[in-house]
Amino acid sequence: MPDRRPFERLPADVRPVNYGLCLKPDLIDFTFEGKLEAAVEVKNATNQIVMNCADIDIITASYAPEGDEEVHATGFNYQNEDEKVTLSFPSTLQKGTGMLKIDFVGELNDKMKGFYRSKYTTAAGEVRYAAVTQFEATDARRAFPCWDEPAIKATFDVILIVPKDRVALSNMNLVERKPYPDDENLVEVKFARTPVMSTYLVAFVVGEYDFVETRSADGVLVRVYTPVGKAEQGKFALEVAAKTLPFYKDYFNVPYPLPKIDLIAIADFAAGAMENWGLVTYRETALLIDPKNSCSSSRQWVALVVGHELAHQWFGNLVTMEWWTHLWLNEGFASWIEYLCVDHCFPEYDIWTQFVSADYTRAQELDALENSHPIEVSVGHPSEVDEIFDAISYSKGASVIRMLHDYIGDEDFRKGMNQYLTKFQEKNAATEDLWESLEQASGKPIAAVMSTWTKQMGFPLIYVESEQKEDTHILKLSQKKFCASGPHNGEESPLWMVPISICTSESPASAKLRLLMDKPEMTVALEGVTSDQWVKLNPGTVGFYRTQYSPSMLESLLPGIRDLSLQPVDRLGLQNDLFSMARAGIISTVEVLKVMEAFVNEPNYTVWSDLSCNLGILSTLLSHTEFHEEIQGFIRDVFSPIGQRLGWDTKPGEGHLDALLRGLVLGKLGKAGHKATLEEARRRFKDHVEGKNLLSADLRSPVYVTVLKHGDATTLETMMKLHKQADMQEERNRIERVLGAISSPELIQKVLSFSLSEEVRPQDTVSVIGGVAGASKLGRKSAWTFVKDNWEELHNRYQGGFLIARLIKLSVDGFASEKMAAEVKAFFDSHPAPSAERTVQQCCENILLNAAWLKRDADAMHQYLLLRKSPSSTV
C-alpha cells in the first residue's frame, strides 16, 4: 500500500454547538458569499481555532465570548494539504461559550463535490446552472469553514439568498421567505433548525424544479423534485418513498425524526444518490421513471436506491459512524436493508435471489483477490476514504449482514437494531456498538463471529466429503481461505466462524441442521438421511463461503439443476461456485461448460443473469484466442431454447421478471450473432426509427446492442441521432452504454471521442468508455489507448473520486497477458491516481489471473467446443 500520509483529527479545544449559516450563490459567476455565525464551546483555553476549510477565502473572523467584547482574528493560516485553516487570536480565548463569526467567499466548482454547479437545459433549449451540494465524505469544508468530521455533530440554521424565481431547498422545512433588502430580484429563504447532525449530511439545492407530493401513513410530507415539466416522472419514486418510511419506522420501531423528506433529481451527479438528512439527492436515472420510456430494470433500480437512501435516515443520519473506518457498516447495512424494503414493496421482483447475483457473487469475486481488503479498513487521511466506497464495503458488507440476520433470526435482529438506534440516537457509534446490541438481544457470540468476517479479508472455501452409515449420513467439513489464484497453501490459512446450514432433497429450502463451524475441520452426522437423498450446504446461498463437494456429492446434486428441484438461488450458487473454482484452477473449465448445458429448462431470470455474466467473462477471456467464434456458438446453443420459449412479445400474465429475462436473453443471442434474433432486431429497429412501431423500453437495450454489434456507420449515426433526440436521461444512458458494441476501428474511435463531448454528461463518460472496452478485443485496446492519451483530462474531471477507479477497472480488466499487466502497472506508476491505487493493483492481479487461466485451460476448452459440434461425437 502507499505510504500513509500523517494525519491528525481536529483538536478538541473548541467545539461547535450550532452553525448559523447564510449563503448567497451567484449562478452567473459561479461564486458564493457566506456568513457563518457559530455558537461554540471553548473546552480548553486557547489562542487559536483550527477548522476544516478548502477552496474558501476567509475575509474576516472574530470571536465573542458570551457577555464579552468581540475579538478579531489576526491571522488565517491555511494548511491546504490538510484542508485546514488556523484562526489566530491576539489574546487567549477562555473556557466557556461564545459566538464565532466568519465572512468568506468560495467558488461553485464543476467537480461534483462540495457546493457545485450542475448544468441543465431548459425546455426552450437554454443552458442554465443549479447550485447543489455533495459533502460526503469530506467536502462540506468547500462550502463553509466547519469541523468536518462525522463525530463532531451540531445543529444547523440555514438561510439561502437566491433569485426569486428559483426553488431553494435544505435539510429542513422552510420557515420564512422574504424579499432581500439589497436586490429586488433576490429572496431570503430561511429553514427550520436541524436536529444534531454531522456536517457531511448538510445539503442545499438552488435551481428550477417541479415536484409531486404526498403524505406517508405516519404523516411525513414526502416530495419528489424533478426537472421542470417532468413531475409525472417522480410518481413512482414518490410511491416507493411513501411506502418505505412507515416500513422502516415499524422495522426499527423508531419514528422518522424530521417533518419532511425531499427526494431530488440532480443533472450532474457523481454517485448514484446521497442520503442527506431530509433532502436526498439522486442522479436522474436513480429517481425518474416514465411509464412509457422506462424499462423494468430502471424501476427496480429506482426502488432499491430509494430504499437504500431512506434507510440511511435512521442508520447513518440519526446514528452516525464515529469515523470513516466504520463506513462499511453504514453502507453495508443500507445495501442489505434496501432489498428487505423492496421485497416488502414489490414481492413480485424476487429481489433476494437477485441480491445473490448482484451483490453476493460480485463481492466474492473481488474478495478472492490478494489485493482485496478487509471490510473494515482503518482510514486516516480523508484522501483514503474514496478508496473504500467499493464492492467490499457495500456488497460484502451487505452479504455478511444478510448472513448475520439469518444467523440471529429476524425477531432478535430487530430487537437489537432498536436498542442500538435508541441508545445512540443523535450520537456516533462504532461497529462494536452494533455487535453489542445484537449480542444482548440474541444471546449469541455476535462480536466473536463477526470480527472474523470484518477484520480479515477473504472468505472460506468449505470442502465436503460424505459417507453413509446405515441411515446416518456423515459429513466431513474442512475450511480454507478461497483464493482466486488456486488452492490456499503455504502459511496458516485464516479461520472464520462460519454459520453453516445443511439441507437435503427431502426439503431443499429449509435447513435440516444448523451449526457454527469455528475450527478448521468438523464432522457432522445427519440422522435419518438415506443414501438416495442428496445433501447440500448453504441452502438459500446465505453463508458467505464457497463450497467444494466431493465428486460423488456433486454428481448427486447436478440433476437438481435439470429437474429444478434445487431452489433457484441454489442452482445459481452451485454454478457460480463451480465457475469460480474453474477460474481459480481448482477444477477444469470444461466441467463447468458441461454443467452450463444442464440449464436448458431453467425458467428463473436471476439464474440466467448469473450464467450470462459468467459466459460473458469466458467470452472476454477467449477473445484472446483463435476460437472466439466457437464460444459464441456455445452461447447461442445455451440461450436459444429459452429465447424460443420467450419470443419477442409480452404474453398475457407476464410480469416484471419475464420482462427482465426477455431483455437479457435477446441481448445475449443478438450479441452472439444468432441469425433469427439479429434479423428480427434489425426489422424492429427500423420500425422504431421510422416511428412506425416504437420499441418497448424493455426491448431497447437488446435491440440497440444487436444492431450496433453487427452494424455500420449508418447504424452508429442513427443511434447518435436517437441519443440527441432523447428527452430522458435513462434513454441517453441506455444508448451510451451500448455504443461501444460497434465493431469497425474508425467507428470505435468516433464513439471514444463522443465520450468526452458536450453531448455526454461528465459522470457518464465512464460508461461510454467502459462499453467500448467491454465489447471486443479491438475495443479493449482502443479504449485503453484512449484513456492513456486523455489521462490529464479524465483525471482532472474526476479529481480523485471513485469514478476514476471505476473507469480504470472498466478499461483494463479484460486484458490477459503478463505484458499488459506490466504496461498497466507502469502507466499508473508514472501517472498516480491516489484514490484508485487499490483498484490498479486489483486490475493487474486480474490480468495475470486471466493469463494463467488461458495457459491452463484454453486448449481443453477448444477441444471441448469443437467436439460437441462434430457429428460423430457422443459427448
Side-chain angles (χ1 to χ4, degrees):
M1 286 312 293
D3 299 331
R4 292 299 185 201
R5 300 196 1 211
F7 170 72
E8 280 176 16
R9 293 209 208 172
L10 295 168
D13 304 333
V14 181
R15 281 292 192 249
V17 178
N18 168 267
Y19 290 86
L21 184 62
C22 175
L23 288 172
K24 183 174 164 230
D26 180 332
L27 297 170
I28 309 294
D29 290 339
F30 305 132
T31 54
F32 59 89
E33 291 169 33
K35 274 190 192 338
L36 175 66
E37 298 196 5
V40 301
E41 187 184 349
V42 178
K43 300 241 186 187
N44 302 308
T46 174
N47 59 1
Q48 56 181 37
I49 295 180
V50 183
M51 301 170 77
N52 290 117
C53 171
D55 304 333
I56 279 177
D57 288 322
I58 293 174
I59 298 161
T60 59
S62 67
Y63 176 73
E66 205 164 312
D68 210 343
E69 295 292 290
E70 182 171 29
V71 190
H72 282 275
T74 45
F76 319 130
N77 178 19
Y78 298 95
Q79 295 100 281
N80 292 336
E81 251 321 69
D82 289 327
E83 303 184 340
K84 289 175 187 166
V85 64
T86 302
L87 311 175
S88 310
F89 292 89
S91 53
T92 304
L93 313 179
Q94 299 303 331
K95 278 168 73 159
T97 53
M99 190 60 80
L100 171 68
K101 294 187 180 178
I102 302 179
D103 287 357
F104 58 94
V105 291
E107 63 155 335
L108 284 176
N109 70 64
D110 58 355
K111 299 284 182 271
M112 296 189 280
K113 62 184 189 180
F115 199 11
Y116 72 92
R117 59 188 193 256
S118 168
K119 186 170 161 181
Y120 62 98
T121 314
T122 63
E126 190 189 333
V127 169
R128 290 198 192 153
Y129 290 86
V132 303
T133 56
Q134 169 60 36
F135 290 165
E136 188 181 25
T138 54
D139 292 315
R141 59 192 66 171
R142 289 169 204 283
F144 54 102
C146 56
W147 286 263
D148 199 9
E149 295 180 2
I152 307 180
K153 288 188 166 185
T155 55
F156 292 82
D157 296 319
V158 175
I159 293 175
L160 297 175
I161 296 166
V162 303
K164 62 181 181 200
D165 58 352
R166 300 290 149 106
V167 172
L169 302 169
S170 186
N171 304 80
M172 296 298 287
N173 47 306
L174 181 136
V175 285
E176 189 185 15
R177 191 182 163 102
K178 57 180 193 195
Y180 179 61
D182 306 351
D183 183 339
E184 56 179 22
N185 294 311
L186 300 179
V187 287
E188 192 173 303
V189 184
K190 186 177 178 202
F191 299 93
R193 174 167 292 186
T194 70
V196 176
M197 64 186 277
S198 303
T199 49
Y200 80 90
L201 293 166
V202 174
F204 341 105
V205 175
V206 180
E208 298 176 279
Y209 299 94
D210 286 341
F211 66 85
V212 284
E213 69 174 17
T214 186
R215 270 191 196 277
S216 70
D218 37 11
V220 181
L221 178 65
V222 188
R223 285 184 172 177
V224 174
Y225 282 85
T226 72
V228 174
K230 296 187 175 179
E232 279 291 297
Q233 295 179 14
K235 284 188 170 160
F236 178 74
L238 186 69
E239 265 170 61
V240 177
K243 257 193 197 164
T244 295
L245 286 170
F247 172 73
Y248 286 148
K249 175 187 171 180
D250 177 53
Y251 195 84
F252 297 131
N253 199 11
V254 172
Y256 173 73
L258 308 187
K260 64 92 178 175
I261 189 160
D262 298 324
L263 293 74
I264 185 165
I266 304 291
D268 293 315
F269 198 78
M274 174 61 210
E275 69 265 21
N276 317 301
W277 216 355
L279 175 58
V280 185
T281 47
Y282 293 79
R283 268 191 190 202
E284 290 185 4
T285 48
L287 191 68
L288 304 182
I289 290 295
D290 169 9
K292 271 206 287 297
N293 291 301
S294 289
C295 61
S296 305
S297 59
S298 295
R299 273 167 210 278
Q300 182 174 302
W301 174 240
V302 168
L304 284 167
V305 180
V306 169
H308 179 102
E309 304 309 332
L310 295 193
H312 277 312
Q313 306 303 304
W314 285 262
F315 202 97
N317 301 7
L318 182 63
V319 176
T320 311
M321 60 208 155
E322 200 279 325
W323 184 248
W324 300 108
T325 297
H326 308 281
L327 170 82
W328 83 270
L329 188 60
N330 204 6
E331 293 306 348
F333 183 86
S335 301
W336 167 76
I337 205 166
E338 68 186 55
Y339 283 86
L340 197 69
C341 157
V342 168
D343 194 44
H344 165 79
C345 296
F346 304 101
E348 72 278 13
Y349 285 10
D350 181 27
I351 202 75
W352 278 115
T353 307
Q354 296 195 53
F355 174 90
V356 175
S357 89
D359 285 274
Y360 173 100
T361 56
R362 211 172 121 233
Q364 287 191 337
E365 201 174 301
L366 184 52
D367 203 26
L369 298 177
E370 271 169 47
N371 287 298
S372 180
H373 61 87
I375 283 180
E376 194 161 297
V377 181
S378 72
V379 172
H381 199 278
S383 69
E384 296 161 20
V385 182
D386 274 334
E387 257 193 63
I388 55 175
F389 280 87
D390 67 0
I392 298 293
S393 300
Y394 284 75
S395 298
K396 184 181 180 183
S399 300
V400 300
I401 286 170
R402 173 169 166 259
M403 171 168 74
L404 173 67
H405 173 264
D406 184 66
Y407 172 61
I408 293 179
D410 192 61
E411 196 182 328
D412 286 349
F413 188 86
R414 290 171 68 159
K415 214 165 39 187
M417 288 304 313
N418 171 265
Q419 190 187 315
Y420 170 81
L421 288 169
T422 312
K423 181 173 174 185
F424 292 100
Q425 57 186 325
E426 301 210 335
K427 299 197 191 67
N428 297 76
T431 302
E432 287 63 35
D433 297 314
L434 177 61
W435 298 163
E436 196 181 315
S437 297
L438 290 170
E439 203 153 293
Q440 282 171 359
S442 68
K444 292 183 169 164
I446 306 303
V449 171
M450 291 309 286
S451 63
T452 66
W453 297 96
T454 62
K455 301 268 197 249
Q456 51 186 11
M457 69 181 200
F459 58 92
L461 171 65
I462 300 209
Y463 183 71
V464 205
E465 296 178 284
S466 69
E467 60 172 323
Q468 190 73 28
K469 290 204 169 147
E470 282 138 21
D471 60 355
T472 301
H473 201 83
I474 294 166
L475 294 183
K476 202 178 140 210
L477 311 178
S478 58
Q479 61 158 306
K480 256 201 179 130
K481 179 172 166 24
F482 178 77
C483 302
S485 55
H488 183 278
N489 39 29
E491 80 296 356
E492 282 294 273
S493 171
L495 273 188
W496 284 266
M497 291 176 80
V498 194
I500 286 185
S501 47
I502 302 168
C503 69
T504 68
S505 43
E506 223 173 25
S507 175
S510 59
K512 184 173 176 72
L513 185 70
R514 287 173 174 266
L515 59 127
L516 185 66
M517 181 174 182
D518 53 3
K519 321 195 246 307
E521 295 184 350
M522 282 177 96
T523 302
V524 191
L526 295 173
E527 307 286 337
V529 175
T530 52
S531 59
D532 56 347
Q533 297 184 31
W534 51 250
V535 171
K536 182 180 184 302
L537 262 64
N538 209 3
T541 313
V542 178
F544 198 74
Y545 56 87
R546 293 197 182 280
T547 311
Q548 183 181 7
Y549 295 97
S550 68
S552 61
M553 283 185 82
L554 182 62
E555 210 49 42
S556 67
L557 281 169
L558 292 179
I561 291 180
R562 252 179 216 282
D563 65 19
L564 309 180
S565 58
L566 275 166
Q567 43 174 356
V569 69
D570 288 330
R571 303 196 292 270
L572 187 162
L574 197 59
Q575 176 267 136
N576 197 285
D577 278 355
L578 288 168
F579 186 77
S580 66
M581 281 187 269
R583 209 175 177 176
I586 297 171
I587 61 174
S588 157
T589 313
V590 170
E591 295 307 308
V592 186
L593 291 172
K594 289 178 181 163
V595 170
M596 287 173 161
E597 291 178 298
F599 283 85
V600 283
N601 308 315
E602 183 56 59
N604 184 284
Y605 160 69
T606 312
V607 178
W608 276 113
S609 161
D610 194 66
L611 258 176
S612 164
C613 214
N614 289 339
L615 280 165
I617 291 168
L618 271 184
S619 176
T620 297
L621 183 75
L622 298 181
S623 67
H624 299 279
T625 68
E626 297 304 300
F627 56 96
H628 189 232
E629 183 32 55
E630 274 80 357
I631 190 82
Q632 302 315 305
F634 182 83
I635 292 171
R636 293 193 294 265
D637 290 349
V638 169
F639 277 85
S640 45
I642 178 81
Q644 209 65 51
R645 286 203 296 277
L646 285 169
W648 278 79
D649 298 304
T650 316
K651 303 181 179 68
E654 281 189 352
H656 176 80
L657 291 162
D658 300 288
L660 292 180
L661 180 57
R662 180 172 287 113
L664 174 82
V665 170
L666 292 174
K668 204 74 181 165
L669 284 167
K671 261 197 305 209
H674 181 254
K675 225 167 144 222
T677 306
L678 174 56
E679 283 164 11
E680 186 63 12
R682 282 182 171 150
R683 190 179 71 70
R684 290 184 182 234
F685 182 65
K686 187 168 178 288
D687 285 354
H688 176 72
V689 173
E690 290 170 0
K692 278 193 206 144
N693 202 348
L694 288 188
L695 283 164
S696 75
D698 283 308
L699 286 177
R700 285 181 204 170
S701 269
V703 166
Y704 292 169
V705 79
T706 302
V707 297
L708 274 163
K709 177 100 183 148
H710 309 280
D712 55 18
T714 323
T715 323
L716 183 61
E717 216 164 294
T718 310
M719 285 306 302
M720 299 274 207
K721 217 185 274 150
L722 288 178
H723 181 273
K724 223 181 167 64
Q725 290 161 1
D727 178 41
M728 230 192 144
Q729 198 47 35
E730 177 189 327
E731 172 76 353
R732 294 207 151 154
N733 283 162
R734 194 172 7 247
I735 294 168
E736 287 160 1
R737 279 199 293 271
V738 297
L739 285 175
I742 200 86
S743 31
S744 87
E746 58 280 6
L747 297 178
I748 288 176
Q749 286 314 320
K750 205 167 163 178
V751 172
L752 288 168
S753 325
F754 171 75
S755 75
L756 283 177
S757 71
E758 284 288 301
E759 300 285 312
V760 177
R761 293 245 171 105
Q763 72 262 25
D764 297 323
T765 299
V766 174
S767 46
V768 181
I769 298 173
V772 173
S776 61
K777 188 178 181 178
L778 181 65
R780 194 162 43 241
K781 253 168 97 167
S782 316
W784 170 233
T785 306
F786 184 80
V787 167
K788 287 186 297 186
D789 292 346
N790 295 277
W791 180 251
E792 274 310 78
E793 182 176 347
L794 289 162
H795 189 249
N796 190 28
R797 177 178 284 196
Y798 304 123
Q799 287 286 302
F802 49 88
L803 280 172
I804 202 84
R806 194 166 300 163
L807 174 72
I808 294 169
K809 184 171 168 48
L810 287 169
S811 41
V812 304
D813 235 12
F815 288 116
S817 70
E818 284 155 26
K819 184 167 152 288
M820 274 315 299
E823 183 179 319
V824 171
K825 183 183 180 312
F827 180 79
F828 290 108
D829 283 346
S830 57
H831 301 77
S835 67
E837 284 190 62
R838 190 179 274 118
T839 302
V840 171
Q841 290 162 335
Q842 289 163 348
C843 287
C844 292
E845 184 178 347
N846 268 327
I847 296 170
L848 292 172
L849 287 167
N850 286 340
W853 191 7
L854 270 180
K855 269 202 192 80
R856 199 173 55 236
D857 270 7
D859 285 347
M861 280 193 268
H862 194 184
Q863 284 318 112
Y864 179 72
L865 292 171
L866 288 177
L867 266 174
R868 55 183 288 283
K869 275 303 177 211
S870 68
S872 63
S873 87
T874 49
V875 174

